[in-house]
Amino acid sequence: MITTNPFDDDKLREECGVFGIWDADGAAAVVALGLHALQHRGQEAAGITSFDGHDFHSHRAMGHVAGTFDKDGVIRSLAGRVACGHVRYSTTGETALRNVQPLFAELSSGGFAVAHNGNISNALTLRRELVRRGSIFQSTSDTEVIIHLVATSTYRTLLDRFVDALKQVEGAYSLICMTPEGMIACRDPLGIRPLVMGRLGDSVIFASETVALDVVGAEHMRDVEPGEIVIVDASGMRSVRPFSRVNPRPCIFEHVYFSRPDSIVGGNSIYSVRKAIGAELAVEAPVDADLVIPVPDSGVPAAIGYAQQSGVPFELGIIRSHYVGRTFIQPGDQIRHLGVKLKHNANRALIQGKRVILIDDSIVRGTTSLKIVQMMRDAGATEVHMRIASPPTRHSCFYGVDTPERSKLLAAVHDIQGMAEFIHADSLAFVSINGLYKAVGEARRADVRPQYCDACFTGDYPTRLTDQDALDCTDQLALTAERVM
């Protein structure tokens, strides 16, 4: 089978989305609706775990939320007034049902379910030590490390054991956990991955994005703050902050691409920020042309901002079909090429004889941009200029985003001119890192640590990368041994 969405195959993929609700009739059904709204954050697998006051119930499956939880009887089997769910795109661990979340285990304190958005950057190191001490892992997911750390902690209360576990992990995490006593939600001290709180009547909701609250009719209360642990149980809601306070560094790529445009992140409208990025890009990289054309769908807000700022007309020069998923034809070069046009097709009557500016959110390997530029030329464009609503992606992400190794990132091996030649564009430009910060209402200062995690652009990682550093060291030793031999 071949994918017919060539534009999405060369994107940075967000890792996961989480949603949990406390004390609601039909809790699992509400979670399923919330996960529908978060489907863009993970399209590989989905799962829901509920608690009925006595027992935990789980259903996990590969595929989309609709195909999994719209089936007769599935939601009815997830009884209880408490539930949490997860949509997944794997960044650590194999693609297998055993890695689909929420993960669940029976601890000495009772059942414990966890849904995790992010990536533990020292998970392999912790896992080796846990296995040495006798832990038996059932998955290859980094999330299971958290369960084992909680299970083996010597502290008395579950909350203290949970805090003890979190103090041993590095990297990014937004967690929703369920126990027989209540629901726990938390973010890592830097707040790299998002998590928000909402209310639906007397029910409390946690979700990766505000759009999931909108879909279920909930009111957005506030963000779960970096380093905060929120506990909801029969006695009410309380918050603890067990970590030393540090300056937060949330992922700036949430504003560029990951979050849905109708979400609010860090108090900012994602749609408005993306328009502002496009406007900044028009100021920084103007070009004489006839049309501004977005690469659907993620390039649309930035393209609107670029067009409004530049005065060049905005047009839908690429038409996307929303009804094609995968072809039923066995792949071959000719069929693969034709499959591209099943999903996206150039608006030839509009483009013929025009100088066009294509607006996209990012360039990763460059293979997608090459196809898009060629599509415009085949449709009769006389010039094709590409403008990108983020700085060049030169570094891999280790915080829960599926990124190619650095050698496969086009911007890591080519300068801007080399990238333009690779994708066959007449010109190519990216918004500057300072322009990106300006669009989100900040000023990036060289004399202090950045307000966001922008490591994929700058290489300035906000945490230790224990596992990656060990891997790099092993690779370097192997390379040295080869040279000696």
Side-chain angles (χ1 to χ4, degrees):
M1 306 291 279
I2 62 170
T3 180
T4 56
N5 192 345
F7 297 171
D8 289 347
D9 288 346
D10 193 27
K11 296 289 187 184
L12 295 179
R13 296 181 187 269
E14 172 63 284
E15 66 300 326
C16 302
V18 295
F19 187 101
I21 187 166
W22 167 265
D23 193 24
D25 289 331
V30 180
V31 172
L33 288 174
L35 294 181
H36 271 289
L38 299 173
Q39 187 74 84
H40 60 288
R41 299 185 75 89
Q43 301 181 40
E44 181 180 270
I48 295 176
T49 298
S50 68
F51 180 63
D52 64 9
H54 298 282
D55 299 309
F56 286 85
H57 310 274
S58 291
H59 186 84
R60 303 176 299 157
M62 308 304 295
H64 287 190
V65 176
T68 298
F69 294 104
D70 291 357
K71 296 175 182 176
D72 289 342
V74 172
I75 291 295
R76 286 195 298 273
S77 71
L78 299 170
R81 297 181 60 82
V82 184
C84 68
H86 188 272
V87 288
R88 178 177 192 262
Y89 181 86
S90 61
T91 55
T92 64
E94 63 184 325
T95 301
L97 186 59
R98 64 177 177 161
N99 287 330
V100 179
Q101 299 185 33
L103 298 184
F104 176 80
E106 288 285 356
L107 307 184
S108 60
S109 57
F112 186 82
V114 58
H116 171 210
N117 174 17
N119 191 55
I120 306 303
S121 58
N122 64 336
L124 291 177
T125 303
L126 291 170
R127 184 186 182 105
R128 291 191 191 102
E129 176 59 22
L130 285 162
V131 170
R132 190 190 66 79
R133 287 157 43 190
S135 291
I136 300 172
F137 281 75
Q138 302 298 316
S139 77
T140 58
S141 169
D142 63 328
T143 307
E144 192 179 354
V145 167
I146 296 172
I147 296 177
H148 285 273
L149 291 173
V150 173
T152 58
S153 174
T154 57
Y155 283 84
R156 187 176 62 84
T157 70
L158 178 62
L159 180 58
D160 286 341
R161 292 159 65 187
F162 184 64
V163 171
D164 180 41
L166 295 185
K167 286 186 175 181
Q168 297 177 65
V169 304
E170 301 168 2
Y173 55 83
S174 285
L175 302 172
I176 299 176
C177 307
M178 288 167 45
T179 75
E181 287 73 38
M183 178 170 281
I184 304 170
C186 68
R187 289 174 77 189
D188 65 82
L190 291 168
I192 297 174
R193 302 261 67 88
L195 191 64
V196 299
M197 296 172 55
R199 277 200 179 275
L200 182 61
D202 294 328
S203 305
V204 177
I205 296 177
F206 301 98
S208 291
E209 292 183 39
T210 60
V211 67
L213 303 178
D214 298 338
V215 166
V216 303
E219 174 192 359
H220 177 207
M221 297 167 60
R222 64 176 178 86
D223 289 1
V224 175
E225 295 182 6
E228 181 184 20
I229 299 176
V230 181
I231 304 101
V232 186
D233 55 26
S235 63
M237 181 168 60
R238 68 188 190 277
S239 171
V240 298
R241 301 174 188 273
F243 306 103
S244 300
R245 286 188 179 269
V246 294
N247 292 327
R249 290 187 63 184
C251 173
I252 201 167
F253 217 85
E254 292 285 349
H255 294 282
V256 174
Y257 175 66
F258 294 144
S259 294
R260 263 181 46 165
D262 44 347
S263 279
I264 306 293
V265 173
N268 292 323
S269 159
I270 292 297
Y271 179 79
S272 297
V273 167
R274 289 177 187 167
K275 281 183 64 181
I277 295 172
E280 186 65 26
L281 185 57
V283 172
E284 294 183 355
V287 62
D288 190 19
D290 302 306
L291 299 175
V292 173
I293 294 174
V295 175
D297 290 321
S298 58
V300 172
I304 293 173
Y306 192 103
Q308 290 176 348
Q309 178 65 38
S310 66
V312 179
F314 169 95
E315 295 287 357
L316 296 178
I318 302 172
I319 305 302
R320 176 183 175 186
S321 169
H322 293 265
Y323 305 101
V324 179
R326 292 178 177 270
T327 68
F328 55 87
I329 308 170
Q330 290 299 316
D333 287 343
Q334 182 179 7
I335 294 300
R336 195 184 308 276
H337 176 71
L338 294 176
V340 169
K341 296 185 178 180
L342 287 175
K343 193 77 176 187
H344 296 87
N345 193 38
N347 192 345
R348 183 178 295 271
L350 186 71
I351 294 167
Q352 181 77 39
K354 298 294 196 309
R355 301 165 299 167
V356 303
I357 306 170
L358 289 168
I359 308 291
D360 205 356
D361 58 83
S362 59
I363 291 181
V364 183
R365 296 179 180 88
T367 53
T368 290
S369 301
L370 177 62
K371 293 176 185 176
I372 300 168
V373 170
Q374 189 58 50
M375 180 184 289
M376 294 295 98
R377 296 202 188 282
D378 290 345
T382 57
E383 295 178 18
V384 182
H385 304 273
M386 197 123 196
R387 297 294 180 266
I388 306 300
S390 64
T393 303
R394 294 193 170 100
H395 303 271
S396 299
C397 176
F398 301 102
Y399 301 119
V401 178
D402 184 56
T403 317
E405 60 187 63
R406 194 169 181 223
S407 62
K408 295 182 180 178
L409 294 171
L410 191 65
V413 295
H414 290 286
D415 61 13
I416 303 300
Q417 182 57 38
M419 295 176 73
E421 292 172 0
F422 179 89
I423 66 173
H424 297 167
D426 291 288
S427 73
L428 171 66
F430 296 77
V431 73
S432 67
I433 188 69
N434 290 333
L436 177 58
Y437 270 72
K438 181 180 177 181
V440 297
E442 301 282 357
R444 193 178 195 275
R445 294 173 52 191
D447 59 331
V448 296
R449 297 300 297 272
Q451 300 94 318
Y452 289 91
C453 177
D454 55 20
C456 55
F457 308 131
T458 65
D460 183 355
Y461 295 98
T463 74
R464 292 172 57 188
L465 302 174
T466 298
D467 291 343
Q468 185 62 34
D469 290 344
L471 181 61
D472 290 344
C473 181
T474 301
D475 290 345
Q476 188 61 46
L477 288 173
L479 182 59
T480 301
E482 275 185 26
R483 287 171 177 166
V484 170
M485 295 173 65

